[in-house]
Amino acid sequence: MGLPNESGDLLSKMDSDASRRLFPLRFYESHLSISTRPDGRPLKSAREAFVGPGDVASADGSAMTKIGSTTMLAAIKMEIMTPSADKPDEGSIAVEFYMPPICSPLVRPGRPAEIAPVISKQLYDTIMSSGMIDLKELSLISGKAAWMVYLDIYCLDADGALFDAALYSAAAAFSFLQIPVVSLSEEGRLTIIPEEGNGNKSDKDVVNKGKRKLTISSLPFSLTCGLHKNYILPDPTSEEETLMETFVTVVLNSSGHLVSLYKPGGPVLAQTSTIQDCIALTRQRMTDLQKSLDEAITEMKVD
């Protein structure tokens, strides 16, 4: 008795899948016309986000984040360097974003993804312009030693909004970071003390007593919105990104102030209200991301 209905449902699904492949824009717009998106989200909703420690044993701080299916692993490694002569009391930060072939069928083995260096620079510029890190806090001995911070972010699954997920993982990794203990030898050489060796040094040998957290003044959070006709679609998937030609990425700090606005290509925006709407959506998103990160930090302290 149930066969006709089951057959009809199967045929309907086959028609839907065929339409999605053959006429993707028409398929997409048919969803927009009923105020939904192909993944079931309301038009102006972002995907669910997850954040937790990355559990990278060799890193001084790491984080795993997910926005929908987009997955990032961020790891921070700290080394001692000689500061530059013009900035003797400051450390330095280097950022690299990687897209290995496992993250997307569009990334070919042996060929670096073209977008990777673009996101690397965008991440570095955002971290520095947001004021999240005070480079003076990375100083160890003025003019002689400071921290060099290497932030590496690996995209494990690329399903849209890559910059947003990468920035979220960077913010989390810095929030989880513990600065290593450093000792000063009789020859004046600084070395990082392994955690298991902390008890073997006298107080006079140790430059910074015990691991400590980095003081973070304001975390940056971003939201990318795809613009299609009169629709503003936050946090697009990779499928949605292929159907849109205009994107706006808004970066706000923890206080809700605008850090940067990034619009790569596409037509000129005729209405300032579009930008204002994107900023308002970013403020809503920032609240959710900050709450998730605060909960993850609290869980780490409990553990």
Side-chain angles (χ1 to χ4, degrees), residues 149-162:
V149 180
Y150 293 98
L151 170 63
D152 293 328
I153 300 175
Y154 296 86
C155 179
L156 305 182
D157 193 341
D159 188 24
L162 300 185

Side-chain angles (χ1 to χ4, degrees), residues 232-281:
I232 299 176
L233 304 164
D235 184 24
T237 63
S238 58
E239 179 185 30
E240 291 176 318
E241 287 178 343
T242 63
L243 301 174
M244 303 176 195
E245 61 177 4
T246 304
F247 299 91
V248 174
T249 299
V250 178
V251 181
L252 303 177
N253 62 20
S254 300
S255 301
H257 297 142
L258 182 65
V259 174
S260 64
L261 185 69
Y262 183 64
K263 179 187 168 296
V268 176
L269 300 180
Q271 298 180 342
T272 56
S273 61
T274 300
I275 297 296
Q276 293 171 348
D277 289 344
C278 291
I279 293 175
L281 288 169

Side-chain angles (χ1 to χ4, degrees), residues 37 43-46 222-227 231-235 250 252 274-288:
R37 292 158 78 171
L43 293 185
K44 292 191 176 182
S45 292
S222 68
L223 179 66
T224 297
C225 295
L227 308 182
Y231 297 102
I232 299 176
L233 304 164
D235 184 24
V250 178
L252 303 177
T274 300
I275 297 296
Q276 293 171 348
D277 289 344
C278 291
I279 293 175
L281 288 169
T282 305
R283 287 200 171 97
Q284 296 175 16
R285 182 60 164 169
M286 179 190 69
T287 301
D288 295 337

Side-chain angles (χ1 to χ4, degrees), residues 12-131:
S12 176
K13 186 179 187 304
M14 289 176 62
D15 289 344
S16 177
D17 291 342
S19 175
R20 192 170 196 158
R21 291 194 304 270
L22 298 175
F23 309 104
L25 184 57
R26 184 188 302 173
F27 173 84
Y28 191 65
E29 290 182 342
S30 69
H31 283 76
L32 298 184
S33 66
I34 56 173
S35 300
T36 188
R37 292 158 78 171
D39 60 6
R41 279 185 286 164
L43 293 185
K44 292 191 176 182
S45 292
R47 294 171 292 178
E48 186 176 356
F50 162 83
V51 61
D55 296 327
V56 179
S58 59
D60 298 304
S62 63
M64 176 79 77
T65 63
K66 293 189 70 174
I67 294 181
S69 295
T70 298
T71 306
M72 299 286 172
L73 174 64
I76 295 175
K77 189 67 178 176
M78 304 186 72
E79 294 184 359
I80 300 171
M81 70 167 194
T82 301
S84 61
D86 58 330
K87 296 180 179 179
D89 297 314
E90 293 186 5
S92 187
I93 296 174
V95 181
E96 286 290 341
F97 178 76
Y98 300 93
M99 292 186 69
I102 62 168
C103 77
S104 170
L106 300 178
V107 180
R108 301 292 184 181
R111 288 186 179 181
E114 293 181 3
I115 192 65
V118 176
I119 294 180
S120 294
K121 185 178 186 309
Q122 193 178 358
L123 285 168
Y124 176 81
D125 292 344
T126 299
I127 290 171
M128 300 309 296
S129 62
S130 68

Side-chain angles (χ1 to χ4, degrees), residues 160-215:
L162 300 185
F163 173 76
D164 299 342
L167 182 62
Y168 191 34
S169 69
F174 275 113
S175 298
F176 299 155
L177 173 67
Q178 289 189 315
I179 299 178
V181 179
V182 175
S183 68
L184 180 65
S185 68
E186 294 181 357
E187 295 79 17
R189 181 178 300 174
L190 285 172
T191 57
I192 297 175
I193 304 176
E195 190 170 359
E196 62 273 11
N198 286 358
N200 299 328
K201 293 287 181 178
S202 65
D203 287 344
K204 67 179 182 179
D205 295 327
V206 177
V207 175
N208 56 332
K209 296 180 174 63
K211 286 189 174 184
R212 65 180 177 88
K213 302 287 286 183
L214 192 65
T215 302

